[in-house]
Amino acid sequence: MSLLVVGSMAFDSIKSPFGAVERVVGGSATYFSLAASYLTPVRLVSVVGKDFPREVIDMLASRSIDTKGLKIAGGETFRWKGYYEYDLNTAHTVKTELNVFRDFAPVLPKEYRNSPYVFLGNIDPRLQMDILSQVRGPRLVALDTMNYWIENSPAPLREAIGKVDIVIFNESEIREISGEYNLVKAARTVRGWGPSRIVIKRGEYGVLHLSDGTMFAAPGYPLETIFDPTGAGDSFAGGFMGYLASRGTADPTDMDYRLATMYGSAIASYTVEAFSTERLQNLSTEDIAERVDAFRALTEFRV
Ligand code: AMP
């Protein structure tokens, strides 16, 4: 079933201990759409400048990604510059240039308004709420954010969180927004604002999924080659929501959520093996199934 995503599309400049790249394609909606497109049809809402490569838009459109909601505006594409040290779990932002996002006032194409699954990707929380208000009766809504919005737009972000079912954070983000170091307590605090489920990304250490009365922990896959963690979070979210949308139910079971977590983890584990979307855009469904199986083998034990 269709999965609507709003988020950034970007040019990234990234340095990690393993190399550096300038002005490569990135953005939360880019990674998310590609990851989810292996599992379900995606409806993309974003904005790029005229400087964004046409081939990339064509590549997205050649998959099950509807790009009718992608606006090409006068001005420059969103840019993010960041670096990682040996702790690849923490991205350090050097510069964020909103550019065409500054005046973006999206109007959803008519056929997007009945989207049953919605992902409010990392972008201005006012924009996330604007999009959500244009969707009629979605079944499941998830939201992602980052420290930039936690620090610059705390009130709108709190309001947006209050309108969704699931929030996906990384460890430092949920600690910052909740003011709680302990992750179980932090998740309880955020659940008190409205969402019934919290997913906490812990970089190479995996994912923790908390709801009322249940917890699920998935490890990170122990990879031999990691080049660039950028996009891992959005690829995770794409696999996670893509799996739930492919199931098509309004009320996923606990096992649906567990499997969604494993699909997200499997796809994200490929993203970090290369810079930008290089590895993510060249996966096969067999690669994904193989990694899900490898996760099963990694954690299976009997008593
Ligand atoms: P992640 O999956 O969390 O590593 O997110 C990576 C993507 O987030 C990068 O490709 C960036 O272009 C994008 N990004 C960085 N800062 C922001 C921001 N403040 N708002 C929206 N997107 C951002």
Side-chain angles (χ1 to χ4, degrees), residues 8 10-12 26-28 31 78 80 84 93 96 122-123 144 146 148-149 201 229-235:
S8 58
F11 283 131
D12 291 343
S28 57
Y31 284 106
F78 176 98
W80 178 71
Y84 302 88
T93 294
T96 303
N122 177 23
I123 199 62
D144 186 18
M146 75 181 285
Y148 183 88
W149 304 110
K201 298 168 290 181
T230 310
D234 297 303
S235 307

Side-chain angles (χ1 to χ4, degrees), residues 114-261:
N114 63 356
S115 300
Y117 297 86
V118 178
F119 182 69
L120 305 173
N122 177 23
I123 199 62
D124 190 326
R126 284 162 282 238
L127 210 52
Q128 293 178 318
M129 283 189 277
D130 184 2
I131 291 292
L132 186 57
S133 70
Q134 298 178 51
V135 183
R136 279 190 303 265
R139 291 185 186 181
L140 201 65
V141 183
L143 175 148
D144 186 18
T145 191
M146 75 181 285
N147 53 359
Y148 183 88
W149 304 110
I150 297 173
E151 286 151 24
N152 292 305
S153 308
L157 181 57
R158 250 312 258 282
E159 197 186 335
I161 289 174
K163 296 177 189 291
V164 306
D165 306 296
I166 305 171
V167 188
I168 302 179
F169 287 112
N170 69 31
E171 225 172 12
S172 62
E173 290 159 359
I174 192 167
R175 285 181 171 138
E176 188 175 355
I177 201 167
S178 67
E180 282 282 0
Y181 183 82
N182 180 284
L183 295 178
V184 179
K185 287 184 183 162
R188 191 179 306 128
T189 300
V190 179
R191 283 188 31 242
W193 303 341
S196 56
R197 280 173 190 276
I198 307 293
V199 178
I200 305 176
K201 298 168 290 181
R202 306 181 61 226
E204 65 186 299
Y205 306 113
V207 179
L208 193 58
H209 185 127
L210 303 103
S211 66
D212 189 15
T214 60
M215 278 200 272
F216 177 60
Y221 194 75
L223 292 169
E224 264 192 66
T225 33
I226 303 182
F227 270 102
D228 171 18
T230 310
D234 297 303
S235 307
F236 168 82
F240 178 83
M241 286 300 285
Y243 179 79
L244 293 174
S246 76
R247 300 287 297 150
T249 131
D251 196 12
T253 62
D254 185 52
M255 193 48 74
D256 288 332
Y257 280 114
R258 288 174 184 237
L259 273 166
T261 304

Side-chain angles (χ1 to χ4, degrees), residues 3-4 37 41 59 71 76 81 108-109 112 116 128 133 141 177 185 200 207 218 221 243 251 257 260 268 277 281 296:
L3 169 58
L4 184 145
S37 71
M59 179 272 290
K71 186 172 170 200
E76 285 184 56
K81 185 172 182 179
L108 280 195
Y112 279 25
Q128 293 178 318
S133 70
V141 183
I177 201 167
K185 287 184 183 162
I200 305 176
V207 179
Y221 194 75
Y243 179 79
D251 196 12
Y257 280 114
T277 57
Q281 72 186 66
R296 198 197 325 269

Side-chain angles (χ1 to χ4, degrees), residues 79-100:
R79 291 191 72 155
W80 178 71
K81 185 172 182 179
Y83 68 93
Y84 302 88
E85 290 173 344
Y86 272 97
D87 170 12
L88 292 177
N89 301 326
T90 309
H92 302 278
T93 294
V94 177
K95 204 156 55 167
T96 303
E97 294 172 34
L98 295 178
N99 298 334
V100 287

Side-chain angles (χ1 to χ4, degrees), residues 53-69:
R54 184 75 237 178
E55 316 82 80
V56 175
I57 299 173
D58 291 343
M59 179 272 290
L60 296 173
S62 72
R63 296 162 183 248
S64 53
I65 302 172
D66 186 337
T67 55
K68 222 172 286 120

